[in-house]
Amino acid sequence: MRIVIIYVMLGSFLLQPVASMIKKSLVSLLALSALVSVSAQAQDNKTLNLYSARHYSTDEALYADFTKTTGIKINRVDADDAGILNRLRAEGTSSPADVILLVDAARLWRGEIDGLFAPVKSKLLDDAIPAQFSAKATPEGTLWFGFSTRARVVAFNKASVKREDVDTYEELADAKNKGKLCTRSGSHPYNLSLFGAVSEHIGAAKTEAWLKGMVSNMARDPKGGDTDQIRAVASGECAIGVTNTYYLARLMRSDKAEDKAVMDKVGIVFPNQSSWGTHLNISGGAMAKNAKNREAAVKFLEYLASPSAQKYFADGNNEWPTAKGMKIDNPALKAMLVGNGGDNFKAETIPSSVIGMNQVKVQQMLDRVGYK
Ligand code: FE
């Protein structure tokens, strides 16, 4: 940059009257100093610009702990997964984002193929996070890391549904469950990832037939979030719902009498314990393609794999930590695993990256079978 400015100054000196030259040089110098100060500010690695789709209040404590430990201040932008990806695309090279946190495998995969992430080379992260939960490692590094998992399970009304009628995902499409099923929109990333996983386990043709069967089993058109499905199962509007585990755990840990009443009526099944296992989705993070505070970004990602951060995920938001060797002690997660295989419940073992990759063909299936 300096060389260019000096060249401009020399050019001015030779070709233009002195007054005009001085004026232009001053403008150039001012522009240069402004640029230097902006870049010094942007790359000081004392601040970290975080775009986060994790909308969980307990994460505040996690960010505060990071700042206390490292002295690096976090500027946070909160939006949902789609909003963050759109913003990164729109901002391009001028994006201030250093780290991105997303809450779904399909979205992480989308960010990866759209070229929004920078590869990270970190022995600490490669050692701590199992390959199943990260993007495929390349010689340049790894594009994203999953830091916590959540299972996508079945919630059923204990009074009207037998547990053995809903202990596989496949049975959600069985005629015996006609008029009982409620889910959020099929196109929601949590469902796209579940359906993408199912298509990996049983193949595309069977998955499409399965989705069609689910559509004809619906008690109502898909709407609302996971918690709405749980409440509808308890009220009897639906008998069977599909939900991420942390929504169940939140209700189980709630002090409100109405939430306790809901969970009294609801049974929980971790499906497919005797076949390919329960579907796991992830929440994960990546360094932004155009990150300025790269050192701070890697530090933050490494921090998320540390025991204290992993404990925040597990205890605060009722998720399972991905880092190797972590023990969790979450009463709600423990309680919901009673009768579901305990701490060693069978989870699927396919890579999260493959689950994300299947979202496009799954969306096409949803359109064909009319799954709203
Ligand atoms: Fe969620």
Side-chain angles (χ1 to χ4, degrees):
M1 180 54 74
R2 246 176 222 138
I3 292 165
V4 173
I5 300 293
I6 289 165
Y7 179 78
V8 170
M9 287 169 70
L10 279 174
S12 307
F13 197 73
L14 294 172
L15 297 172
Q16 295 177 10
V18 173
S20 161
M21 180 210 76
I22 291 170
K23 195 173 141 202
K24 285 202 170 175
S25 302
L26 276 174
V27 169
S28 303
L29 281 171
L30 280 172
L32 176 68
S33 64
L35 197 104
V36 167
S37 79
V38 165
S39 65
Q41 194 183 22
Q43 295 176 27
D44 63 6
N45 283 297
K46 296 238 163 54
T47 53
L48 177 82
N49 296 312
L50 174 67
Y51 285 15
S52 175
R54 288 183 56 89
H55 42 272
Y56 317 119
S57 54
T58 47
D59 284 4
E60 300 293 338
L62 186 144
Y63 304 138
D65 184 50
F66 173 74
T67 300
K68 211 176 110 195
T69 315
T70 60
I72 299 168
K73 196 176 148 269
I74 296 179
N75 300 319
R76 201 168 84 243
V77 169
D78 287 311
D80 64 8
D81 284 308
I84 286 175
L85 294 177
N86 283 337
R87 189 164 171 160
L88 288 169
R89 283 185 204 104
E91 289 173 341
T93 53
S94 63
S95 175
D98 295 310
V99 167
I100 297 135
L101 293 182
L102 300 174
V103 293
D104 171 74
R107 294 297 194 195
L108 286 161
W109 178 82
R110 173 55 61 190
E112 173 185 342
I113 62 149
D114 287 357
L116 301 174
F117 303 154
V120 169
K121 266 188 158 175
S122 159
K123 186 167 163 15
L124 190 153
L125 285 167
D126 290 341
D127 287 350
I129 309 295
Q132 181 190 354
F133 302 122
S134 297
K136 212 168 181 312
T138 68
E140 290 74 46
T142 303
L143 284 169
W144 48 264
F145 301 88
F147 291 112
S148 60
T149 66
R150 54 282 292 283
R152 195 144 181 78
V153 300
V154 171
F156 64 97
N157 186 301
K158 288 190 281 192
S160 59
V161 174
K162 280 188 285 189
R163 183 194 162 83
E164 58 265 35
D165 283 342
V166 287
D167 61 2
T168 66
Y169 294 109
E170 288 88 337
E171 282 168 299
L172 299 179
D174 194 294
K176 69 186 169 190
N177 289 321
K178 200 161 188 69
K180 295 181 181 171
L181 180 65
C182 285
T183 71
R184 72 194 305 165
S185 163
S187 304
H188 188 276
Y190 297 160
N191 279 338
L192 287 179
S193 288
L194 167 63
F195 304 159
V198 170
S199 112
E200 202 58 30
H201 294 295
I202 67 174
K206 279 186 182 165
T207 300
E208 187 157 343
W210 174 67
L211 292 168
K212 201 173 172 189
M214 283 211 284
V215 170
S216 61
N217 279 352
M218 291 289 176
R220 64 172 188 206
D221 278 349
K223 65 171 182 183
D226 284 357
T227 304
D228 299 310
Q229 316 310 317
I230 304 168
R231 291 192 194 284
V233 164
S235 77
E237 185 185 358
C238 320
I240 305 165
V242 177
T243 176
N244 283 354
T245 37
Y246 58 88
Y247 294 110
L248 289 162
R250 258 181 229 170
L251 292 172
M252 290 165 82
R253 294 177 80 174
S254 168
D255 296 328
K256 291 184 192 154
E258 59 187 280
D259 293 340
K260 288 186 194 303
V262 163
M263 290 316 296
D264 280 346
K265 297 203 170 71
V266 172
I268 302 167
V269 172
F270 280 54
N272 293 59
Q273 287 302 293
S274 48
S275 58
W276 42 267
T278 299
H279 166 62
L280 290 187
N281 204 338
I282 53 169
S283 169
M287 176 152 79
K289 171 81 179 285
N290 298 297
K292 314 291 185 295
N293 301 297
R294 295 195 161 230
E295 233 174 82
V298 173
K299 258 188 208 161
F300 183 67
L301 292 170
E302 289 178 341
Y303 165 76
L304 294 182
S306 71
S308 61
Q310 292 278 296
K311 200 172 144 46
Y312 278 116
F313 285 138
D315 292 343
N317 193 46
N318 307 300
E319 295 170 89
W320 285 278
T322 55
K324 293 171 191 164
M326 297 290 159
K327 277 222 168 98
I328 61 152
D329 190 24
N330 180 315
L333 293 182
K334 260 205 164 74
M336 78 173 73
L337 280 166
V338 172
N340 279 306
D343 281 344
N344 297 317
F345 76 91
K346 186 171 183 182
E348 67 182 356
T349 54
I350 54 173
S352 303
S353 54
V354 171
I355 293 169
M357 213 180 290
N358 285 343
Q359 67 173 309
V360 177
K361 70 175 182 196
V362 161
Q363 181 59 59
Q364 290 166 350
M365 290 179 198
L366 294 176
D367 295 341
R368 284 194 292 267
V369 303
Y371 197 135
K372 289 178 192 166

